[in-house]
Amino acid sequence: MSSTIDDIDVFAATKLHDEKNLSIVEDAFKSGRIDAATHDYLVNLYTDSMDWFREVFLTIGKCFGAPKAAVHAYDYENDCAINSPITISDINPLEPYLVNHRLDEDPMRNQFFVSTHGHQIDLAVSSIVTVIVGAQKSVSRAIDKITGKYYNDYVNEVAQTAYDVIARTERIASARAVSDKIHETFEKSFITDASASVLRIIGSGHEKISAELVRALDKVRTPYARLEDVWRIKCLFDLVPQARTFIERICNMWPDKIIAVRDKFFDITNPRGYRDAKLILNIGSAEKIIPMEIICNVRTFFEFEHQTHGAYEQSRRAETKKVKSAAQIENKTEILHLEGVKKYNAIICDCVEDLFDRIGWNILYSVGNEDMLFDGFPKISTIYYPQKITDIILEKVDNAVENEVFYVQNAPAHLTKDQEIRIFRWMARFILVSAMPYSYSDWNVNTDTMAGKFFNFIMKELQRYYKK
């Protein structure tokens, strides 16, 4: 890769690309497909692309530090790096690239290793994070999303908000009539000024609720404000706790720049079984919002995501009639994603197996109640597991150890019950923060080892919680 695109300097090529994007935005505005507010927002995002893409590059550097290997161009279609190192001068918003960094804040770095022949050590889990930096999102695709899915969601929220406010003080019939009128009016043309439009629809006679209605409607995000992935990067981690450590660090670094955080690693309600986390960061200023989407995923799950992406795109574009029904495609993606969860959890179980001996030795060597070797391990996530649930599971672990359902095999020295409980409690916490819960209950890690049995025990207890 060189600093030219089709024999044109990258700066010149990017400027030409900006002009094409802005021309598409102008055409959409003149045709009435988008309104003035949306036009201005898109012009804001698609002007000075080179400057903003370099800001993306600098933001990654501030997050991770210098790359730990050569930076390579990335081929989205084949999901691989192109064997052609690139330099900083080559970085441009028209072509994606891949770079590897190290997560220095990873509290479990270098703990996951296995000994092979002789003195060889293989890392089972590393602190290396693979960052895939996507090229700029197509402005045509952005407009499609704003005027399509985002607009539909917006209209539904506006109608529901108006209904809720009116229904609290007036008749349900009036609220329903206004809601229906909102759908009818907003479907005729693209409208993003909800407050003024709804006030015109309800007319006179509703003055007593006007102020409350405006306050509520002003909280509904406009369709264009939902466009948050013009600049997008994907970070691939080995473990979920690493991704959460990274997100926590970003939130601490730039609390004023965080637009939104969404953690769905443990979400079993997603109909496609998808698991990831997403952070929206403003790389602009308070006056000029430039959202950048940071998607965090685990490597094993990403492999299955790539397999399902084609089917998902078909479903999204309503092209399923040519191949399969939308329901069949959704079912296929869900099955593949579940396989991704299984593969990831099998790795976690292997980590439990590898760590058992080390935890035991560490507890024997530790002074007092501190497990010094593992000081700083990620906290239990309260996003999906309330403290009450965690306490119940740990209490069941204590009882199982007391009754010798679980015990430490091949201990380096005699262990008291308290020491055994500490070992199994630590392993239970590790599983809770690392393993992805299932949306089904009929799968176990296929192993007869103590680690495997303990892993299945914890996952079954989680399943009980999700069923309630």
Side-chain angles (χ1 to χ4, degrees):
M1 182 176 178
S2 66
S3 57
T4 63
I5 301 175
D6 296 331
D7 297 324
I8 304 176
D9 176 79
V10 290
F11 286 92
T14 302
K15 185 176 181 180
L16 179 62
H17 186 68
D18 283 351
E19 293 172 356
K20 291 179 180 178
N21 284 339
L22 296 179
S23 176
I24 293 173
V25 174
E26 290 294 334
D27 289 343
F29 175 60
K30 291 177 181 178
S31 66
R33 192 179 178 197
I34 60 175
D35 62 2
T38 305
H39 166 274
D40 294 345
Y41 189 78
L42 288 173
V43 167
N44 184 48
L45 291 182
Y46 284 90
T47 301
D48 301 324
S49 294
M50 180 64 84
D51 292 342
W52 293 122
F53 197 69
R54 291 297 169 89
E55 188 63 32
V56 171
F57 179 84
L58 290 173
T59 299
I60 296 171
K62 293 172 184 175
C63 292
F64 293 110
K68 300 306 175 185
V71 180
H72 289 81
Y74 182 74
D75 181 354
Y76 263 126
E77 185 175 347
N78 296 310
D79 183 30
C80 65
I82 299 172
N83 189 23
S84 176
I86 61 178
T87 64
I88 292 178
S89 62
D90 298 321
I91 300 296
N92 68 83
L94 307 184
E95 298 177 310
Y97 69 90
L98 181 148
V99 57
N100 289 299
H101 292 272
R102 187 178 67 199
L103 182 65
D104 290 327
E105 292 74 23
D106 178 9
M108 292 297 291
R109 61 183 178 274
N110 302 327
Q111 296 297 339
F112 300 97
F113 61 87
V114 291
S115 299
T116 58
H117 299 294
H119 301 287
Q120 298 298 316
I121 296 295
D122 289 338
L123 277 177
V125 174
S126 77
S127 297
I128 297 298
V129 183
T130 299
V131 181
I132 302 172
V133 183
Q136 184 186 52
K137 187 181 189 71
S138 162
V139 70
S140 297
R141 173 70 185 123
I143 293 174
D144 287 344
K145 294 187 78 170
I146 289 173
T147 58
K149 179 182 184 299
Y150 293 162
Y151 187 66
N152 292 335
D153 292 344
Y154 169 73
V155 173
N156 290 334
E157 286 186 40
V158 169
Q160 186 62 50
T161 300
Y163 177 90
D164 292 341
V165 173
I166 296 173
R168 283 198 294 267
T169 57
E170 301 183 19
R171 293 179 302 173
I172 297 296
S174 297
R176 187 177 298 112
V178 170
S179 177
D180 292 342
K181 187 64 175 178
I182 288 173
H183 279 287
E184 179 184 342
T185 302
F186 279 60
E187 286 171 5
K188 290 180 180 178
S189 59
F190 186 83
I191 301 171
T192 62
D193 188 357
S195 300
S197 300
V198 173
L199 289 179
R200 284 195 295 269
I201 289 173
I202 65 176
S204 59
H206 297 274
E207 287 80 5
K208 62 181 181 180
I209 65 168
S210 295
E212 182 184 357
L213 187 59
V214 168
R215 282 196 299 270
L217 290 172
D218 284 346
K219 295 178 182 178
V220 179
R221 281 201 306 165
T222 58
Y224 57 80
R226 299 168 192 239
L227 181 69
E228 298 173 330
D229 59 350
V230 171
W231 307 110
R232 179 167 60 178
I233 69 173
K234 176 164 287 191
C235 298
L236 304 182
F237 302 83
D238 282 354
L239 300 178
V240 168
Q242 294 171 329
R244 287 180 168 157
T245 297
F246 166 71
I247 291 174
E248 183 177 341
R249 180 172 186 269
I250 299 302
C251 292
N252 291 334
M253 284 177 65
W254 298 302
D256 297 335
K257 290 182 173 290
I258 304 300
I259 296 175
V261 178
R262 185 205 71 179
D263 187 332
K264 297 292 185 180
F265 281 120
F266 290 178
D267 184 10
I268 65 172
T269 63
N270 187 318
R272 292 196 302 121
Y274 197 74
R275 314 287 185 94
D276 69 356
K278 184 182 296 184
L279 184 148
I280 310 298
L281 184 70
N282 176 28
I283 58 173
S285 62
E287 296 74 28
K288 189 170 186 177
I289 305 297
I290 307 292
M292 178 178 78
E293 181 183 66
I294 303 177
I295 300 173
C296 299
N297 212 330
V298 293
R299 296 183 202 280
T300 51
F301 200 81
F302 178 69
E303 295 171 7
F304 286 89
E305 174 200 353
H306 187 71
Q307 295 178 43
T308 63
H309 189 69
Y312 170 62
E313 285 295 305
Q314 281 188 330
S315 177
R316 179 180 58 75
R317 295 174 182 173
E319 296 174 350
T320 57
K321 292 182 179 179
K322 300 178 183 177
V323 186
K324 299 179 180 179
S325 70
Q328 287 176 311
I329 288 179
E330 289 294 316
N331 185 57
K332 175 184 176 183
T333 58
E334 181 179 2
I335 290 173
L336 282 170
H337 285 155
L338 291 178
E339 289 301 314
V341 173
K342 289 180 181 180
K343 184 176 180 181
Y344 171 76
N345 279 349
I347 292 175
I348 300 301
C349 186
D350 289 341
C351 289
V352 173
E353 186 82 56
D354 295 338
L355 284 172
F356 250 119
D357 287 342
R358 266 166 269 165
I359 299 298
W361 278 107
N362 183 60
I363 287 177
L364 287 177
Y365 287 150
S366 63
V367 178
N369 295 319
E370 295 298 324
D371 300 334
M372 299 304 293
L373 180 62
F374 300 97
D375 214 13
F377 187 78
K379 298 181 292 292
I380 292 283
S381 172
T382 57
I383 299 173
Y384 293 104
Y385 305 154
Q387 188 61 47
K388 179 180 178 181
I389 301 302
T390 301
D391 292 342
I392 290 173
I393 292 176
L394 292 179
E395 183 179 349
K396 289 186 176 182
V397 169
D398 293 351
N399 292 334
V401 176
E402 288 282 0
N403 294 320
E404 298 187 353
V405 175
F406 298 114
Y407 53 89
V408 178
Q409 298 171 309
N410 304 317
H414 175 72
L415 298 175
T416 66
K417 280 298 176 188
D418 286 343
Q419 289 173 325
E420 282 198 301
I421 286 174
R422 286 178 64 193
I423 291 173
F424 281 100
R425 273 187 163 244
W426 194 96
M427 299 311 302
R429 293 199 305 271
F430 170 70
I431 295 169
L432 288 173
V433 300
S434 303
M436 294 186 188
Y438 308 120
S439 55
Y440 47 89
S441 58
D442 59 346
W443 186 80
N444 290 317
V445 173
N446 187 21
T447 176
D448 291 329
T449 65
M450 186 64 69
K453 291 177 181 178
F454 186 67
F455 180 88
N456 289 333
F457 173 81
I458 298 298
M459 298 307 288
K460 287 292 184 185
E461 292 302 321
L462 281 180
Q463 191 66 31
R464 293 175 190 272
Y465 161 61
Y466 275 101
K467 283 183 176 180
K468 292 179 181 179

